[in-house]
Amino acid sequence: MSRPSSWHRTALDRIPGGRDGRRMLVVSIIDKTGTGLWASCTALYFTYVSGLSLAQVGLLMTVSGGVGVAGAPLAGVLADRFPLVRVIAAAQLMRGATLLALLTTDHFLLLTLYSALGALPDRAGSVLIKLYAARQAGAERVRYQAIQRTTVNIGWSIGGVGAAAALATGSTQAYTYLLVGNVLSYLAIAALTLRCAEPPAPSRVAATADDAPRPKPGSPWRDRTFLGYTATDAALYLDDTILQVAIPLWIVHATDAPVGLAPLLLVLNTVLVVLFQVPLARFGATTRAARRLLVPLTGLFVLGTAALAVSAAGGRTLAITALAVAVVALTFAEIIHATSSWELSVALAPADAQGAYLGVHGLAQSTQRFAGPLLVTGVMTAGPLAWPVLGLALVAAGAAQHRLIRDRVTPAPSSLSVAKVTVSEH
């Protein structure tokens, strides 16, 4: 009877970050379950409950996305100045409060204001969790982030199923229930977050001299290498928009594949991330290894975009096969880029300014979410051959990043024999 208990303890011990690290993973799955309830019906709520026109909904979401871009750097600065756990909890409560405020009005300007304010802590979330992983899990931050991302996908799936079940009732009241469910999830995770101890002071792990960063400026805004890295990383985040926005639209407007294929491909994407994110994380466990991942990453972009072009060549079977190949390739690109980006963004940041640096790096994902849909719709308008051109542009971005950070991940000659140490900034 003791064997299951022993196995259970062993499995828990393999999760980096100790008890508080595991508790924050519970926070992630509850967070994304609640978000999954609401995210899929946000536009529908504004349409059917608030009574906004299609143009108003589009403008509201555009303004919110633009304001949300500032959330990542703002969170980074706050996290360097205040206890991280309290900043995370405050962001969660702000998300809940601004969402609940939507129930108080149907006025377009007020709805836009509340949505924009809610976008700030929403975009800050990934930066704060990455910073928490860097401090709590230390050298195992990449594995912790991989596990965290797996829980996120599970949470999204649970929330999506719950939302589908609620909307199947055909009642407009269901939208309100889903919104309130998301608000309650924010209250729950804020309470759980405040039970976590503050993670250790920022530390830099020099696993070996092969991935010890060189000295860097204290401000990310004066660090040209880091700014260049962030700019190229914004391009490499484009897999997200291609998978979530472009492929469903491409199926409808350019291929002979059935419309029902779109949700099945999104399920395929989620399943692959859950299955492979943690196992593949070990290939980016050091800074130099994370940099090497940029090579297969760009190859996957080429394969994925070429398959999208082929999918429009005609024929149902060819379209389905090519689209499946594209989704598999772009999903593995997503997995590999996540692993590489987690390690490089932290390793390139000085320990005494991790928050500020990761906040600036958060602009990469926020900017892509804001500008990515416009870019991919432009590519689709240009026709099938524009996809390989986009793939080559992403290869150029990956190559530029690979070269740009070379000196920051290449060891100084005198440090080749340095033993594995953890350097505390305390």
Side-chain angles (χ1 to χ4, degrees), residues 1 12 34 42-43 58 62 77 127 163 170 173 178 229 296-297 321 326 333 342 361 387 390:
M1 296 296 292
L12 290 178
T42 303
T62 299
V77 171
V127 171
Q173 193 66 29
L178 292 172
Y229 165 74
L297 169 63
T321 303
W342 292 333
H361 179 258
W387 284 117
L390 177 63

Coordinates of all heavy atoms in Angstrom, one line a residue, residues 1 12 34 42-43 58 62 77 127 163 170 173 178 229 296-297 321 326 333 342 361 387 390:
M1 N 0.8 -1.2 0.0 CA 0.0 0.0 0.0 C 0.9 1.3 0.0 O 0.4 2.3 -0.3 CB -0.9 0.0 1.2 CG -1.9 -1.1 1.3 SD -3.1 -1.0 -0.1 CE -4.0 0.5 0.4
L12 N 6.4 14.3 -7.3 CA 6.4 15.7 -6.8 C 7.8 16.3 -6.6 O 8.0 17.4 -6.9 CB 5.6 15.8 -5.5 CG 4.1 15.5 -5.6 CD1 3.5 15.6 -4.2 CD2 3.4 16.6 -6.5
G34 N -10.0 29.3 -15.7 CA -10.9 30.5 -15.7 C -10.8 31.3 -16.9 O -11.8 31.7 -17.5
T42 N -15.3 36.3 -25.3 CA -15.2 37.7 -25.0 C -15.9 38.6 -26.0 O -16.7 39.4 -25.7 CB -13.7 38.1 -24.9 OG1 -13.1 37.3 -24.0 CG2 -13.6 39.6 -24.5
A43 N -15.6 38.4 -27.3 CA -16.2 39.2 -28.4 C -17.7 39.0 -28.4 O -18.4 39.9 -28.7 CB -15.5 38.8 -29.7
G58 N -14.3 45.5 -32.5 CA -12.9 45.5 -33.1 C -12.0 46.6 -32.6 O -10.9 46.4 -32.2
T62 N -8.7 46.2 -30.2 CA -7.5 46.8 -30.7 C -6.8 47.8 -29.7 O -5.6 47.7 -29.4 CB -7.7 47.6 -32.0 OG1 -8.2 46.7 -33.0 CG2 -6.4 48.2 -32.5
V77 N 9.4 46.3 -13.9 CA 10.0 47.3 -13.0 C 9.4 47.1 -11.5 O 10.1 47.2 -10.6 CB 9.6 48.7 -13.5 CG1 9.9 49.8 -12.5 CG2 10.3 49.0 -14.8
V127 N 5.4 37.4 -17.8 CA 6.6 38.0 -17.3 C 6.8 37.7 -15.8 O 7.9 37.2 -15.4 CB 6.7 39.5 -17.5 CG1 7.9 40.1 -16.8 CG2 6.7 39.8 -19.0
A163 N -16.6 26.3 -21.4 CA -17.3 27.4 -22.1 C -18.2 26.9 -23.2 O -19.3 27.3 -23.4 CB -16.2 28.3 -22.7
G170 N -27.5 28.1 -25.3 CA -28.1 29.2 -26.1 C -28.6 30.4 -25.3 O -29.3 31.2 -25.9
Q173 N -27.5 34.6 -20.8 CA -27.0 34.7 -19.4 C -25.8 33.8 -19.2 O -25.0 34.1 -18.3 CB -28.2 34.1 -18.5 CG -28.0 34.4 -17.0 CD -28.0 35.9 -16.7 OE1 -28.7 36.7 -17.4 NE2 -27.3 36.3 -15.7
L178 N -20.0 32.8 -17.3 CA -18.6 32.6 -17.7 C -17.7 33.7 -17.2 O -16.6 33.4 -16.7 CB -18.5 32.4 -19.2 CG -19.1 31.1 -19.8 CD1 -19.1 31.2 -21.3 CD2 -18.5 29.9 -19.2
Y229 N 17.9 41.4 -29.4 CA 17.3 40.0 -29.1 C 15.8 40.0 -28.9 O 15.1 39.2 -29.5 CB 18.0 39.5 -27.8 CG 17.3 38.3 -27.2 CD1 17.4 37.0 -27.8 CD2 16.4 38.4 -26.1 CE1 16.7 35.9 -27.3 CE2 15.8 37.3 -25.6 CZ 15.9 36.1 -26.2 OH 15.2 35.0 -25.7
P296 N 17.3 24.4 -35.5 CA 16.1 23.6 -35.9 C 14.8 24.4 -35.9 O 13.9 24.1 -36.6 CB 16.1 22.4 -34.8 CG 16.9 23.0 -33.7 CD 18.0 23.8 -34.3
L297 N 14.8 25.4 -35.0 CA 13.6 26.2 -35.0 C 13.3 26.9 -36.3 O 12.2 26.8 -36.8 CB 13.8 27.3 -33.9 CG 12.7 28.4 -33.9 CD1 11.4 27.9 -33.6 CD2 13.1 29.5 -32.9
T321 N -3.7 16.9 -45.5 CA -2.4 16.4 -45.1 C -1.4 17.5 -44.9 O -0.6 17.5 -44.0 CB -1.9 15.5 -46.3 OG1 -2.8 14.4 -46.5 CG2 -0.5 14.9 -45.9
A326 N 1.8 21.2 -41.5 CA 2.1 22.6 -41.1 C 1.8 22.8 -39.6 O 2.7 23.4 -38.9 CB 1.2 23.6 -41.8
A333 N 7.9 24.1 -33.5 CA 8.6 25.4 -33.5 C 8.2 26.1 -32.3 O 9.0 26.8 -31.6 CB 8.2 26.2 -34.8
W342 N 12.8 31.0 -23.0 CA 12.9 31.0 -21.5 C 14.3 31.2 -21.0 O 14.6 32.0 -20.1 CB 12.3 29.7 -20.9 CG 10.8 29.6 -21.1 CD1 9.9 30.5 -21.3 CD2 10.1 28.3 -21.3 NE1 8.7 30.0 -21.5 CE2 8.8 28.6 -21.5 CE3 10.5 27.0 -21.2 CZ2 7.8 27.6 -21.6 CZ3 9.6 26.0 -21.3 CH2 8.2 26.3 -21.6
H361 N 11.6 42.2 -22.4 CA 11.5 41.0 -23.2 C 10.0 40.7 -23.4 O 9.6 40.2 -24.5 CB 12.2 39.8 -22.7 CG 12.1 38.6 -23.6 ND1 11.2 37.6 -23.2 CD2 12.7 38.3 -24.7 CE1 11.3 36.6 -24.2 NE2 12.2 37.0 -25.1
W387 N 3.6 32.6 -48.1 CA 4.0 31.8 -46.9 C 5.5 31.4 -46.9 O 6.1 31.7 -45.9 CB 3.1 30.6 -46.8 CG 1.7 30.8 -46.4 CD1 0.6 30.6 -47.0 CD2 1.3 31.4 -45.1 NE1 -0.5 31.0 -46.3 CE2 -0.1 31.5 -45.1 CE3 2.0 31.8 -44.0 CZ2 -0.8 31.9 -44.0 CZ3 1.3 32.3 -42.9 CH2 -0.1 32.3 -42.9
L390 N 7.5 34.4 -46.0 CA 7.4 34.7 -44.5 C 8.4 33.7 -43.8 O 9.1 34.1 -42.8 CB 6.0 34.5 -44.0 CG 5.8 34.7 -42.5 CD1 6.2 36.1 -42.0 CD2 4.4 34.4 -42.1

